[in-house]
Amino acid sequence: RKECMQILTALKRDEFKLGLIINTQLSSGDAYRELIVKNLGFGTLFDSMIFSNEVGFLKPHRLIFQVAQMELGINNPSDIIHIGNEPENDITGALRSNFRAIYFNTDENAPPSIFAEGCSPEYIVNSLIEIPDIIKKIKW
């Protein structure tokens, strides 16, 4: 998405730590890392990149979120906002790890009504452009 670089750059400029968690099922973390760093140019913006094949756990498992928390050096998990587009893997996984969550709803995604009980995100966005303003609104 074109706006990704703009949004990540804005968040980094505002001194947010940025992490990435990817379920790597058919490709290795190295293949994703090369795509992110070399082809997309996002690599320098992330403080941490977690790939499931390297840590041994897939989202929504709590341990993959805990690895991200540890790598980012953030003591309180509720100080982390996970943004994702999969209700179970991203939102349920983040909330059960005591992270906060924003659901990025796209046409390809399941409707928000399928969130697990007690696992509704704080915000639902339909455009990535909404994310920086929402993050600034969240009460810490």
Side-chain angles (χ1 to χ4, degrees), residues 1 3-4 6-8 10-11 14 16 18 81-85 101-106 123-138 140:
R1 299 185 182 272
E3 60 271 1
C4 280
Q6 173 188 356
I7 292 162
L8 292 171
L11 292 170
D14 289 340
F16 285 98
L18 302 177
I81 302 169
H82 182 78
I83 302 161
N85 65 340
I102 295 174
Y103 177 66
F104 175 47
N105 188 30
T106 66
Y123 292 92
I124 296 173
V125 298
N126 296 309
S127 167
L128 293 175
I129 298 296
E130 300 173 65
I131 291 172
D133 287 338
I134 287 175
I135 289 175
K136 290 173 188 174
K137 287 181 194 176
I138 292 177
W140 301 96

PDB file of all heavy atoms in Angstrom, residues 1 3-4 6-8 10-11 14 16 18 81-85 101-106 123-138 140:
ATOM      1  N   ARG A   1       0.844  -1.191   0.000  1.00  0.00           N
ATOM      2  CA  ARG A   1       0.000   0.000   0.000  1.00  0.00           C
ATOM      3  C   ARG A   1       0.876   1.237   0.000  1.00  0.00           C
ATOM      4  O   ARG A   1       1.822   1.339   0.757  1.00  0.00           O
ATOM      5  CB  ARG A   1      -0.923  -0.006   1.202  1.00  0.00           C
ATOM      6  CG  ARG A   1      -1.847  -1.212   1.192  1.00  0.00           C
ATOM      7  CD  ARG A   1      -2.848  -1.142   2.322  1.00  0.00           C
ATOM      8  NE  ARG A   1      -3.678  -2.307   2.310  1.00  0.00           N
ATOM      9  CZ  ARG A   1      -4.795  -2.421   1.613  1.00  0.00           C
ATOM     10  NH1 ARG A   1      -5.219  -1.442   0.879  1.00  0.00           N
ATOM     11  NH2 ARG A   1      -5.508  -3.518   1.658  1.00  0.00           N
ATOM     12  N   GLU A   3       0.402   4.239   1.019  1.00  0.00           N
ATOM     13  CA  GLU A   3       0.441   5.094   2.211  1.00  0.00           C
ATOM     14  C   GLU A   3       1.237   4.505   3.373  1.00  0.00           C
ATOM     15  O   GLU A   3       1.505   5.196   4.353  1.00  0.00           O
ATOM     16  CB  GLU A   3      -0.978   5.447   2.658  1.00  0.00           C
ATOM     17  CG  GLU A   3      -1.853   4.278   3.011  1.00  0.00           C
ATOM     18  CD  GLU A   3      -2.644   3.685   1.840  1.00  0.00           C
ATOM     19  OE1 GLU A   3      -2.542   4.137   0.703  1.00  0.00           O
ATOM     20  OE2 GLU A   3      -3.367   2.725   2.092  1.00  0.00           O
ATOM     21  N   CYS A   4       1.655   3.257   3.275  1.00  0.00           N
ATOM     22  CA  CYS A   4       2.413   2.627   4.370  1.00  0.00           C
ATOM     23  C   CYS A   4       3.677   3.398   4.717  1.00  0.00           C
ATOM     24  O   CYS A   4       3.952   3.660   5.889  1.00  0.00           O
ATOM     25  CB  CYS A   4       2.781   1.199   4.019  1.00  0.00           C
ATOM     26  SG  CYS A   4       1.459   0.029   4.246  1.00  0.00           S
ATOM     27  N   GLN A   6       4.455   6.486   4.201  1.00  0.00           N
ATOM     28  CA  GLN A   6       4.106   7.785   4.784  1.00  0.00           C
ATOM     29  C   GLN A   6       3.708   7.634   6.245  1.00  0.00           C
ATOM     30  O   GLN A   6       4.150   8.389   7.109  1.00  0.00           O
ATOM     31  CB  GLN A   6       2.962   8.404   3.975  1.00  0.00           C
ATOM     32  CG  GLN A   6       2.395   9.664   4.553  1.00  0.00           C
ATOM     33  CD  GLN A   6       1.139  10.108   3.798  1.00  0.00           C
ATOM     34  OE1 GLN A   6       0.734   9.531   2.802  1.00  0.00           O
ATOM     35  NE2 GLN A   6       0.504  11.149   4.311  1.00  0.00           N
ATOM     36  N   ILE A   7       2.881   6.652   6.542  1.00  0.00           N
ATOM     37  CA  ILE A   7       2.382   6.444   7.903  1.00  0.00           C
ATOM     38  C   ILE A   7       3.503   5.969   8.829  1.00  0.00           C
ATOM     39  O   ILE A   7       3.677   6.485   9.934  1.00  0.00           O
ATOM     40  CB  ILE A   7       1.215   5.447   7.899  1.00  0.00           C
ATOM     41  CG1 ILE A   7       0.022   6.093   7.199  1.00  0.00           C
ATOM     42  CG2 ILE A   7       0.849   4.994   9.298  1.00  0.00           C
ATOM     43  CD1 ILE A   7      -1.011   5.112   6.758  1.00  0.00           C
ATOM     44  N   LEU A   8       4.279   5.001   8.384  1.00  0.00           N
ATOM     45  CA  LEU A   8       5.381   4.510   9.206  1.00  0.00           C
ATOM     46  C   LEU A   8       6.398   5.605   9.485  1.00  0.00           C
ATOM     47  O   LEU A   8       6.895   5.744  10.604  1.00  0.00           O
ATOM     48  CB  LEU A   8       6.060   3.320   8.521  1.00  0.00           C
ATOM     49  CG  LEU A   8       5.224   2.048   8.426  1.00  0.00           C
ATOM     50  CD1 LEU A   8       5.918   1.023   7.532  1.00  0.00           C
ATOM     51  CD2 LEU A   8       4.926   1.468   9.793  1.00  0.00           C
ATOM     52  N   ALA A  10       5.801   8.841   9.573  1.00  0.00           N
ATOM     53  CA  ALA A  10       5.193   9.802  10.509  1.00  0.00           C
ATOM     54  C   ALA A  10       5.240   9.267  11.940  1.00  0.00           C
ATOM     55  O   ALA A  10       5.570  10.008  12.878  1.00  0.00           O
ATOM     56  CB  ALA A  10       3.761  10.105  10.098  1.00  0.00           C
ATOM     57  N   LEU A  11       4.928   7.998  12.128  1.00  0.00           N
ATOM     58  CA  LEU A  11       4.961   7.407  13.468  1.00  0.00           C
ATOM     59  C   LEU A  11       6.386   7.363  14.015  1.00  0.00           C
ATOM     60  O   LEU A  11       6.619   7.639  15.190  1.00  0.00           O
ATOM     61  CB  LEU A  11       4.339   6.012  13.455  1.00  0.00           C
ATOM     62  CG  LEU A  11       2.834   5.965  13.201  1.00  0.00           C
ATOM     63  CD1 LEU A  11       2.373   4.535  12.969  1.00  0.00           C
ATOM     64  CD2 LEU A  11       2.070   6.605  14.346  1.00  0.00           C
ATOM     65  N   ASP A  14       7.417  10.696  15.182  1.00  0.00           N
ATOM     66  CA  ASP A  14       6.811  11.003  16.479  1.00  0.00           C
ATOM     67  C   ASP A  14       7.395  10.131  17.596  1.00  0.00           C
ATOM     68  O   ASP A  14       6.854  10.089  18.705  1.00  0.00           O
ATOM     69  CB  ASP A  14       5.292  10.826  16.411  1.00  0.00           C
ATOM     70  CG  ASP A  14       4.619  11.914  15.589  1.00  0.00           C
ATOM     71  OD1 ASP A  14       5.227  12.988  15.390  1.00  0.00           O
ATOM     72  OD2 ASP A  14       3.476  11.688  15.150  1.00  0.00           O
ATOM     73  N   PHE A  16       7.612   6.842  18.006  1.00  0.00           N
ATOM     74  CA  PHE A  16       7.017   5.565  18.375  1.00  0.00           C
ATOM     75  C   PHE A  16       7.975   4.460  17.973  1.00  0.00           C
ATOM     76  O   PHE A  16       8.636   4.534  16.939  1.00  0.00           O
ATOM     77  CB  PHE A  16       5.679   5.347  17.657  1.00  0.00           C
ATOM     78  CG  PHE A  16       4.556   6.167  18.215  1.00  0.00           C
ATOM     79  CD1 PHE A  16       4.181   7.356  17.606  1.00  0.00           C
ATOM     80  CD2 PHE A  16       3.875   5.755  19.346  1.00  0.00           C
ATOM     81  CE1 PHE A  16       3.147   8.116  18.115  1.00  0.00           C
ATOM     82  CE2 PHE A  16       2.839   6.505  19.866  1.00  0.00           C
ATOM     83  CZ  PHE A  16       2.468   7.694  19.243  1.00  0.00           C
ATOM     84  N   LEU A  18       8.447   0.891  16.436  1.00  0.00           N
ATOM     85  CA  LEU A  18       7.652   0.151  15.465  1.00  0.00           C
ATOM     86  C   LEU A  18       8.136  -1.288  15.373  1.00  0.00           C
ATOM     87  O   LEU A  18       9.333  -1.546  15.241  1.00  0.00           O
ATOM     88  CB  LEU A  18       7.733   0.808  14.088  1.00  0.00           C
ATOM     89  CG  LEU A  18       7.275   2.264  13.995  1.00  0.00           C
ATOM     90  CD1 LEU A  18       7.488   2.799  12.588  1.00  0.00           C
ATOM     91  CD2 LEU A  18       5.813   2.389  14.401  1.00  0.00           C
ATOM     92  N   ILE A  81       0.326  -1.030  20.917  1.00  0.00           N
ATOM     93  CA  ILE A  81      -0.872  -1.092  20.077  1.00  0.00           C
ATOM     94  C   ILE A  81      -0.537  -1.981  18.889  1.00  0.00           C
ATOM     95  O   ILE A  81       0.379  -1.687  18.125  1.00  0.00           O
ATOM     96  CB  ILE A  81      -1.285   0.294  19.561  1.00  0.00           C
ATOM     97  CG1 ILE A  81      -1.547   1.243  20.718  1.00  0.00           C
ATOM     98  CG2 ILE A  81      -2.512   0.180  18.657  1.00  0.00           C
ATOM     99  CD1 ILE A  81      -1.692   2.686  20.289  1.00  0.00           C
ATOM    100  N   HIS A  82      -1.273  -3.067  18.751  1.00  0.00           N
ATOM    101  CA  HIS A  82      -1.085  -3.963  17.614  1.00  0.00           C
ATOM    102  C   HIS A  82      -2.150  -3.632  16.575  1.00  0.00           C
ATOM    103  O   HIS A  82      -3.336  -3.581  16.890  1.00  0.00           O
ATOM    104  CB  HIS A  82      -1.208  -5.428  18.058  1.00  0.00           C
ATOM    105  CG  HIS A  82      -0.975  -6.396  16.960  1.00  0.00           C
ATOM    106  ND1 HIS A  82       0.284  -6.711  16.506  1.00  0.00           N
ATOM    107  CD2 HIS A  82      -1.838  -7.099  16.194  1.00  0.00           C
ATOM    108  CE1 HIS A  82       0.178  -7.591  15.522  1.00  0.00           C
ATOM    109  NE2 HIS A  82      -1.099  -7.835  15.317  1.00  0.00           N
ATOM    110  N   ILE A  83      -1.725  -3.426  15.358  1.00  0.00           N
ATOM    111  CA  ILE A  83      -2.647  -3.136  14.262  1.00  0.00           C
ATOM    112  C   ILE A  83      -2.637  -4.339  13.348  1.00  0.00           C
ATOM    113  O   ILE A  83      -1.568  -4.796  12.914  1.00  0.00           O
ATOM    114  CB  ILE A  83      -2.194  -1.873  13.492  1.00  0.00           C
ATOM    115  CG1 ILE A  83      -2.121  -0.691  14.447  1.00  0.00           C
ATOM    116  CG2 ILE A  83      -3.140  -1.587  12.322  1.00  0.00           C
ATOM    117  CD1 ILE A  83      -1.293   0.460  13.945  1.00  0.00           C
ATOM    118  N   GLY A  84      -3.817  -4.866  13.068  1.00  0.00           N
ATOM    119  CA  GLY A  84      -3.869  -6.047  12.223  1.00  0.00           C
ATOM    120  C   GLY A  84      -5.179  -6.179  11.482  1.00  0.00           C
ATOM    121  O   GLY A  84      -6.161  -5.529  11.806  1.00  0.00           O
ATOM    122  N   ASN A  85      -5.152  -7.071  10.488  1.00  0.00           N
ATOM    123  CA  ASN A  85      -6.324  -7.247   9.638  1.00  0.00           C
ATOM    124  C   ASN A  85      -6.973  -8.619   9.758  1.00  0.00           C
ATOM    125  O   ASN A  85      -7.863  -8.948   8.990  1.00  0.00           O
ATOM    126  CB  ASN A  85      -5.954  -6.980   8.173  1.00  0.00           C
ATOM    127  CG  ASN A  85      -4.966  -7.993   7.631  1.00  0.00           C
ATOM    128  OD1 ASN A  85      -4.274  -8.662   8.384  1.00  0.00           O
ATOM    129  ND2 ASN A  85      -4.896  -8.091   6.330  1.00  0.00           N
ATOM    130  N   ALA A 101      -5.430  -3.000  20.643  1.00  0.00           N
ATOM    131  CA  ALA A 101      -5.578  -3.452  19.261  1.00  0.00           C
ATOM    132  C   ALA A 101      -6.418  -2.501  18.422  1.00  0.00           C
ATOM    133  O   ALA A 101      -7.424  -1.963  18.887  1.00  0.00           O
ATOM    134  CB  ALA A 101      -6.195  -4.845  19.237  1.00  0.00           C
ATOM    135  N   ILE A 102      -5.968  -2.346  17.184  1.00  0.00           N
ATOM    136  CA  ILE A 102      -6.724  -1.631  16.152  1.00  0.00           C
ATOM    137  C   ILE A 102      -6.911  -2.612  15.004  1.00  0.00           C
ATOM    138  O   ILE A 102      -5.951  -3.236  14.550  1.00  0.00           O
ATOM    139  CB  ILE A 102      -5.955  -0.384  15.651  1.00  0.00           C
ATOM    140  CG1 ILE A 102      -5.800   0.634  16.771  1.00  0.00           C
ATOM    141  CG2 ILE A 102      -6.676   0.234  14.451  1.00  0.00           C
ATOM    142  CD1 ILE A 102      -4.925   1.832  16.399  1.00  0.00           C
ATOM    143  N   TYR A 103      -8.146  -2.745  14.581  1.00  0.00           N
ATOM    144  CA  TYR A 103      -8.464  -3.641  13.470  1.00  0.00           C
ATOM    145  C   TYR A 103      -8.515  -2.851  12.179  1.00  0.00           C
ATOM    146  O   TYR A 103      -9.241  -1.870  12.053  1.00  0.00           O
ATOM    147  CB  TYR A 103      -9.812  -4.322  13.725  1.00  0.00           C
ATOM    148  CG  TYR A 103     -10.286  -5.226  12.610  1.00  0.00           C
ATOM    149  CD1 TYR A 103      -9.592  -6.387  12.288  1.00  0.00           C
ATOM    150  CD2 TYR A 103     -11.442  -4.930  11.899  1.00  0.00           C
ATOM    151  CE1 TYR A 103     -10.031  -7.219  11.280  1.00  0.00           C
ATOM    152  CE2 TYR A 103     -11.895  -5.771  10.893  1.00  0.00           C
ATOM    153  CZ  TYR A 103     -11.186  -6.912  10.586  1.00  0.00           C
ATOM    154  OH  TYR A 103     -11.623  -7.747   9.589  1.00  0.00           O
ATOM    155  N   PHE A 104      -7.705  -3.277  11.197  1.00  0.00           N
ATOM    156  CA  PHE A 104      -7.708  -2.668   9.870  1.00  0.00           C
ATOM    157  C   PHE A 104      -8.647  -3.494   9.005  1.00  0.00           C
ATOM    158  O   PHE A 104      -8.349  -4.617   8.625  1.00  0.00           O
ATOM    159  CB  PHE A 104      -6.294  -2.623   9.300  1.00  0.00           C
ATOM    160  CG  PHE A 104      -6.224  -2.131   7.890  1.00  0.00           C
ATOM    161  CD1 PHE A 104      -6.905  -0.998   7.494  1.00  0.00           C
ATOM    162  CD2 PHE A 104      -5.465  -2.800   6.956  1.00  0.00           C
ATOM    163  CE1 PHE A 104      -6.841  -0.538   6.195  1.00  0.00           C
ATOM    164  CE2 PHE A 104      -5.384  -2.358   5.649  1.00  0.00           C
ATOM    165  CZ  PHE A 104      -6.076  -1.219   5.268  1.00  0.00           C
ATOM    166  N   ASN A 105      -9.807  -2.945   8.728  1.00  0.00           N
ATOM    167  CA  ASN A 105     -10.854  -3.631   7.983  1.00  0.00           C
ATOM    168  C   ASN A 105     -10.725  -3.326   6.503  1.00  0.00           C
ATOM    169  O   ASN A 105     -10.754  -2.174   6.095  1.00  0.00           O
ATOM    170  CB  ASN A 105     -12.223  -3.182   8.504  1.00  0.00           C
ATOM    171  CG  ASN A 105     -13.357  -3.981   7.915  1.00  0.00           C
ATOM    172  OD1 ASN A 105     -13.196  -5.145   7.586  1.00  0.00           O
ATOM    173  ND2 ASN A 105     -14.505  -3.353   7.798  1.00  0.00           N
ATOM    174  N   THR A 106     -10.555  -4.356   5.706  1.00  0.00           N
ATOM    175  CA  THR A 106     -10.528  -4.191   4.254  1.00  0.00           C
ATOM    176  C   THR A 106     -11.612  -5.076   3.656  1.00  0.00           C
ATOM    177  O   THR A 106     -12.178  -5.929   4.324  1.00  0.00           O
ATOM    178  CB  THR A 106      -9.163  -4.595   3.665  1.00  0.00           C
ATOM    179  OG1 THR A 106      -8.980  -5.991   3.862  1.00  0.00           O
ATOM    180  CG2 THR A 106      -8.023  -3.825   4.301  1.00  0.00           C
ATOM    181  N   TYR A 123     -10.427   0.287  18.291  1.00  0.00           N
ATOM    182  CA  TYR A 123     -10.803   1.028  17.090  1.00  0.00           C
ATOM    183  C   TYR A 123     -10.827   0.100  15.889  1.00  0.00           C
ATOM    184  O   TYR A 123     -10.064  -0.864  15.824  1.00  0.00           O
ATOM    185  CB  TYR A 123      -9.807   2.157  16.803  1.00  0.00           C
ATOM    186  CG  TYR A 123      -9.838   3.271  17.820  1.00  0.00           C
ATOM    187  CD1 TYR A 123      -9.001   3.242  18.926  1.00  0.00           C
ATOM    188  CD2 TYR A 123     -10.717   4.338  17.671  1.00  0.00           C
ATOM    189  CE1 TYR A 123      -9.030   4.262  19.866  1.00  0.00           C
ATOM    190  CE2 TYR A 123     -10.747   5.359  18.611  1.00  0.00           C
ATOM    191  CZ  TYR A 123      -9.904   5.310  19.701  1.00  0.00           C
ATOM    192  OH  TYR A 123      -9.945   6.324  20.627  1.00  0.00           O
ATOM    193  N   ILE A 124     -11.678   0.434  14.945  1.00  0.00           N
ATOM    194  CA  ILE A 124     -11.719  -0.231  13.647  1.00  0.00           C
ATOM    195  C   ILE A 124     -11.487   0.860  12.614  1.00  0.00           C
ATOM    196  O   ILE A 124     -12.162   1.890  12.631  1.00  0.00           O
ATOM    197  CB  ILE A 124     -13.076  -0.925  13.413  1.00  0.00           C
ATOM    198  CG1 ILE A 124     -13.277  -2.036  14.442  1.00  0.00           C
ATOM    199  CG2 ILE A 124     -13.152  -1.471  11.985  1.00  0.00           C
ATOM    200  CD1 ILE A 124     -14.649  -2.677  14.415  1.00  0.00           C
ATOM    201  N   VAL A 125     -10.512   0.650  11.736  1.00  0.00           N
ATOM    202  CA  VAL A 125     -10.228   1.618  10.686  1.00  0.00           C
ATOM    203  C   VAL A 125     -10.439   0.971   9.324  1.00  0.00           C
ATOM    204  O   VAL A 125     -10.255  -0.228   9.164  1.00  0.00           O
ATOM    205  CB  VAL A 125      -8.797   2.201  10.789  1.00  0.00           C
ATOM    206  CG1 VAL A 125      -8.603   2.946  12.093  1.00  0.00           C
ATOM    207  CG2 VAL A 125      -7.742   1.132  10.627  1.00  0.00           C
ATOM    208  N   ASN A 126     -10.837   1.780   8.371  1.00  0.00           N
ATOM    209  CA  ASN A 126     -11.028   1.308   7.002  1.00  0.00           C
ATOM    210  C   ASN A 126      -9.949   1.826   6.069  1.00  0.00           C
ATOM    211  O   ASN A 126      -9.915   1.471   4.902  1.00  0.00           O
ATOM    212  CB  ASN A 126     -12.408   1.723   6.499  1.00  0.00           C
ATOM    213  CG  ASN A 126     -13.505   1.070   7.307  1.00  0.00           C
ATOM    214  OD1 ASN A 126     -13.498  -0.135   7.502  1.00  0.00           O
ATOM    215  ND2 ASN A 126     -14.424   1.855   7.813  1.00  0.00           N
ATOM    216  N   SER A 127      -9.075   2.673   6.602  1.00  0.00           N
ATOM    217  CA  SER A 127      -7.981   3.245   5.826  1.00  0.00           C
ATOM    218  C   SER A 127      -6.765   3.385   6.725  1.00  0.00           C
ATOM    219  O   SER A 127      -6.874   3.798   7.882  1.00  0.00           O
ATOM    220  CB  SER A 127      -8.390   4.623   5.285  1.00  0.00           C
ATOM    221  OG  SER A 127      -7.271   5.312   4.786  1.00  0.00           O
ATOM    222  N   LEU A 128      -5.610   3.056   6.185  1.00  0.00           N
ATOM    223  CA  LEU A 128      -4.376   3.190   6.959  1.00  0.00           C
ATOM    224  C   LEU A 128      -4.112   4.638   7.349  1.00  0.00           C
ATOM    225  O   LEU A 128      -3.502   4.904   8.383  1.00  0.00           O
ATOM    226  CB  LEU A 128      -3.195   2.649   6.156  1.00  0.00           C
ATOM    227  CG  LEU A 128      -3.205   1.145   5.894  1.00  0.00           C
ATOM    228  CD1 LEU A 128      -2.040   0.766   4.982  1.00  0.00           C
ATOM    229  CD2 LEU A 128      -3.146   0.355   7.179  1.00  0.00           C
ATOM    230  N   ILE A 129      -4.592   5.557   6.558  1.00  0.00           N
ATOM    231  CA  ILE A 129      -4.382   6.984   6.824  1.00  0.00           C
ATOM    232  C   ILE A 129      -4.958   7.391   8.184  1.00  0.00           C
ATOM    233  O   ILE A 129      -4.481   8.331   8.815  1.00  0.00           O
ATOM    234  CB  ILE A 129      -5.010   7.838   5.690  1.00  0.00           C
ATOM    235  CG1 ILE A 129      -4.329   7.535   4.350  1.00  0.00           C
ATOM    236  CG2 ILE A 129      -4.957   9.316   5.999  1.00  0.00           C
ATOM    237  CD1 ILE A 129      -2.867   7.908   4.283  1.00  0.00           C
ATOM    238  N   GLU A 130      -5.972   6.677   8.672  1.00  0.00           N
ATOM    239  CA  GLU A 130      -6.608   6.994   9.953  1.00  0.00           C
ATOM    240  C   GLU A 130      -5.716   6.665  11.165  1.00  0.00           C
ATOM    241  O   GLU A 130      -5.924   7.199  12.252  1.00  0.00           O
ATOM    242  CB  GLU A 130      -7.903   6.193  10.108  1.00  0.00           C
ATOM    243  CG  GLU A 130      -8.954   6.448   9.058  1.00  0.00           C
ATOM    244  CD  GLU A 130     -10.117   5.483   9.198  1.00  0.00           C
ATOM    245  OE1 GLU A 130     -10.812   5.563  10.235  1.00  0.00           O
ATOM    246  OE2 GLU A 130     -10.321   4.653   8.290  1.00  0.00           O
ATOM    247  N   ILE A 131      -4.771   5.793  10.984  1.00  0.00           N
ATOM    248  CA  ILE A 131      -4.034   5.220  12.115  1.00  0.00           C
ATOM    249  C   ILE A 131      -3.245   6.240  12.937  1.00  0.00           C
ATOM    250  O   ILE A 131      -3.370   6.248  14.170  1.00  0.00           O
ATOM    251  CB  ILE A 131      -3.168   4.035  11.642  1.00  0.00           C
ATOM    252  CG1 ILE A 131      -4.108   2.894  11.242  1.00  0.00           C
ATOM    253  CG2 ILE A 131      -2.175   3.602  12.714  1.00  0.00           C
ATOM    254  CD1 ILE A 131      -3.449   1.732  10.576  1.00  0.00           C
ATOM    255  N   PRO A 132      -2.429   7.114  12.341  1.00  0.00           N
ATOM    256  CA  PRO A 132      -1.667   8.045  13.200  1.00  0.00           C
ATOM    257  C   PRO A 132      -2.551   8.905  14.106  1.00  0.00           C
ATOM    258  O   PRO A 132      -2.234   9.087  15.283  1.00  0.00           O
ATOM    259  CB  PRO A 132      -0.889   8.910  12.193  1.00  0.00           C
ATOM    260  CG  PRO A 132      -0.746   8.029  11.000  1.00  0.00           C
ATOM    261  CD  PRO A 132      -2.030   7.246  10.936  1.00  0.00           C
ATOM    262  N   ASP A 133      -3.659   9.413  13.591  1.00  0.00           N
ATOM    263  CA  ASP A 133      -4.545  10.234  14.423  1.00  0.00           C
ATOM    264  C   ASP A 133      -5.172   9.418  15.539  1.00  0.00           C
ATOM    265  O   ASP A 133      -5.303   9.894  16.665  1.00  0.00           O
ATOM    266  CB  ASP A 133      -5.638  10.886  13.572  1.00  0.00           C
ATOM    267  CG  ASP A 133      -5.090  12.014  12.701  1.00  0.00           C
ATOM    268  OD1 ASP A 133      -4.024  12.568  13.036  1.00  0.00           O
ATOM    269  OD2 ASP A 133      -5.732  12.329  11.686  1.00  0.00           O
ATOM    270  N   ILE A 134      -5.543   8.190  15.251  1.00  0.00           N
ATOM    271  CA  ILE A 134      -6.143   7.342  16.284  1.00  0.00           C
ATOM    272  C   ILE A 134      -5.118   7.021  17.358  1.00  0.00           C
ATOM    273  O   ILE A 134      -5.417   7.075  18.551  1.00  0.00           O
ATOM    274  CB  ILE A 134      -6.739   6.061  15.664  1.00  0.00           C
ATOM    275  CG1 ILE A 134      -8.017   6.429  14.909  1.00  0.00           C
ATOM    276  CG2 ILE A 134      -7.003   5.008  16.734  1.00  0.00           C
ATOM    277  CD1 ILE A 134      -8.635   5.297  14.149  1.00  0.00           C
ATOM    278  N   ILE A 135      -3.895   6.713  16.974  1.00  0.00           N
ATOM    279  CA  ILE A 135      -2.862   6.410  17.962  1.00  0.00           C
ATOM    280  C   ILE A 135      -2.631   7.599  18.878  1.00  0.00           C
ATOM    281  O   ILE A 135      -2.468   7.446  20.092  1.00  0.00           O
ATOM    282  CB  ILE A 135      -1.555   5.966  17.269  1.00  0.00           C
ATOM    283  CG1 ILE A 135      -1.771   4.575  16.666  1.00  0.00           C
ATOM    284  CG2 ILE A 135      -0.387   5.969  18.244  1.00  0.00           C
ATOM    285  CD1 ILE A 135      -0.614   4.062  15.851  1.00  0.00           C
ATOM    286  N   LYS A 136      -2.673   8.790  18.326  1.00  0.00           N
ATOM    287  CA  LYS A 136      -2.482   9.994  19.151  1.00  0.00           C
ATOM    288  C   LYS A 136      -3.661  10.232  20.093  1.00  0.00           C
ATOM    289  O   LYS A 136      -3.501  10.854  21.134  1.00  0.00           O
ATOM    290  CB  LYS A 136      -2.267  11.196  18.250  1.00  0.00           C
ATOM    291  CG  LYS A 136      -0.913  11.138  17.551  1.00  0.00           C
ATOM    292  CD  LYS A 136      -0.773  12.250  16.535  1.00  0.00           C
ATOM    293  CE  LYS A 136       0.500  12.049  15.731  1.00  0.00           C
ATOM    294  NZ  LYS A 136       0.616  13.013  14.638  1.00  0.00           N
ATOM    295  N   LYS A 137      -4.848   9.717  19.759  1.00  0.00           N
ATOM    296  CA  LYS A 137      -6.045   9.882  20.598  1.00  0.00           C
ATOM    297  C   LYS A 137      -6.072   8.900  21.763  1.00  0.00           C
ATOM    298  O   LYS A 137      -6.740   9.143  22.770  1.00  0.00           O
ATOM    299  CB  LYS A 137      -7.329   9.641  19.776  1.00  0.00           C
ATOM    300  CG  LYS A 137      -7.677  10.719  18.830  1.00  0.00           C
ATOM    301  CD  LYS A 137      -8.963  10.330  18.122  1.00  0.00           C
ATOM    302  CE  LYS A 137      -9.225  11.194  16.912  1.00  0.00           C
ATOM    303  NZ  LYS A 137     -10.418  10.747  16.177  1.00  0.00           N
ATOM    304  N   ILE A 138      -5.416   7.769  21.599  1.00  0.00           N
ATOM    305  CA  ILE A 138      -5.481   6.722  22.616  1.00  0.00           C
ATOM    306  C   ILE A 138      -4.880   7.225  23.916  1.00  0.00           C
ATOM    307  O   ILE A 138      -3.794   7.789  23.941  1.00  0.00           O
ATOM    308  CB  ILE A 138      -4.785   5.441  22.123  1.00  0.00           C
ATOM    309  CG1 ILE A 138      -5.615   4.843  20.979  1.00  0.00           C
ATOM    310  CG2 ILE A 138      -4.592   4.446  23.257  1.00  0.00           C
ATOM    311  CD1 ILE A 138      -5.007   3.604  20.347  1.00  0.00           C
ATOM    312  N   TRP A 140      -3.017   6.906  27.249  1.00  0.00           N
ATOM    313  CA  TRP A 140      -1.970   6.051  27.797  1.00  0.00           C
ATOM    314  C   TRP A 140      -2.076   6.106  29.280  1.00  0.00           C
ATOM    315  O   TRP A 140      -1.560   5.666  30.100  1.00  0.00           O
ATOM    316  CB  TRP A 140      -0.598   6.520  27.301  1.00  0.00           C
ATOM    317  CG  TRP A 140      -0.523   6.478  25.819  1.00  0.00           C
ATOM    318  CD1 TRP A 140      -0.739   7.514  24.967  1.00  0.00           C
ATOM    319  CD2 TRP A 140      -0.274   5.362  24.978  1.00  0.00           C
ATOM    320  NE1 TRP A 140      -0.626   7.119  23.666  1.00  0.00           N
ATOM    321  CE2 TRP A 140      -0.346   5.791  23.645  1.00  0.00           C
ATOM    322  CE3 TRP A 140      -0.003   4.041  25.234  1.00  0.00           C
ATOM    323  CZ2 TRP A 140      -0.138   4.952  22.573  1.00  0.00           C
ATOM    324  CZ3 TRP A 140       0.199   3.199  24.152  1.00  0.00           C
ATOM    325  CH2 TRP A 140       0.138   3.641  22.842  1.00  0.00           C
TER     326      TRP A 140
END
